[in-house]
Amino acid sequence: MARISALQDNDGSLLRLGEAIRARRRALDLSQEALADAAGIDRSHMGKIERGERNVTFLNIARIATAMGCRPSELLADAEL
Amino acid sequence: MARISALQDNDGSLLRLGEAIRARRRALDLSQEALADAAGIDRSHMGKIERGERNVTFLNIARIATAMGCRPSELLADAEL
């Protein structure tokens, strides 16, 4: 499990990515726990990702996107990243 | 510096992302060293990212994209990710 600090998120991009994940999850009527389980990500780590508190890795972005039926690039574009 | 294994890259997505970074870098006539320096990423780590050998973090994807004048979502879309 990646435990990389988000302290270097100077421009708030991790926050925006987390918000985009949350928005898409809610649009699918998925709980955070259900998304975490579907993506194979630890539930508490998933919460930190949604709150922009972790510098999420590409493979976890890809797992989250797959679990929500979209592409990683779409998640980033949702957040205007 | 993130040193996360790429062993879980089952579908080759890190390889494709690395190839997309390399292709865009070459189109800009940038050396790998120049891109690493512009992005503030260790040169040897940059090489591993381009070869798909590291599970690159979102903030590093963002730094690489910024250094090449594009968005992170565009880099991923280049790789059909």
Side-chain angles (χ1 to χ4, degrees):
Chain A
M1 189 62 57
R3 294 237 168 240
I4 298 160
S5 167
L7 289 176
Q8 292 175 289
D9 184 28
N10 298 315
D11 66 350
S13 59
L14 290 172
L15 275 175
R16 281 153 58 205
L17 179 56
E19 284 165 6
I21 291 168
R22 177 171 289 162
R24 205 175 262 265
R25 171 175 67 72
R26 288 182 173 165
L28 291 168
D29 204 21
L30 275 175
S31 68
Q32 193 178 84
E33 292 74 19
L35 175 59
D37 293 351
I41 293 175
D42 178 82
R43 289 176 178 195
S44 73
H45 189 63
M46 190 73 225
K48 291 180 178 114
I49 291 170
E50 282 199 359
R51 291 191 300 275
E53 295 171 3
R54 283 293 179 278
N55 183 6
V56 57
T57 62
F58 173 76
L59 288 180
N60 273 349
I61 295 172
R63 288 182 189 110
I64 292 166
T66 298
M68 295 200 290
C70 68
R71 289 183 169 200
S73 57
E74 292 178 291
L75 270 185
L76 271 55
D78 281 358
E80 297 185 7
L81 292 165
Chain B
M1 189 63 56
R3 295 236 166 241
I4 299 161
S5 168
L7 287 176
Q8 292 173 291
D9 184 28
N10 298 315
D11 64 352
S13 57
L14 290 173
L15 273 176
R16 281 153 55 205
L17 178 56
E19 284 165 5
I21 292 168
R22 176 171 290 161
R24 206 176 261 265
R25 171 175 67 72
R26 288 183 173 167
L28 292 168
D29 204 20
L30 276 174
S31 70
Q32 193 178 83
E33 292 75 17
L35 175 59
D37 293 350
I41 293 173
D42 178 83
R43 290 177 176 194
S44 73
H45 190 61
M46 190 71 225
K48 290 178 179 115
I49 292 170
E50 282 199 358
R51 292 192 299 276
E53 294 171 4
R54 283 294 178 278
N55 183 5
V56 58
T57 63
F58 173 75
L59 289 181
N60 273 349
I61 295 172
R63 289 183 190 110
I64 292 166
T66 298
M68 294 200 289
C70 67
R71 290 183 167 200
S73 57
E74 292 178 291
L75 269 185
L76 270 55
D78 281 358
E80 297 185 7
L81 292 166

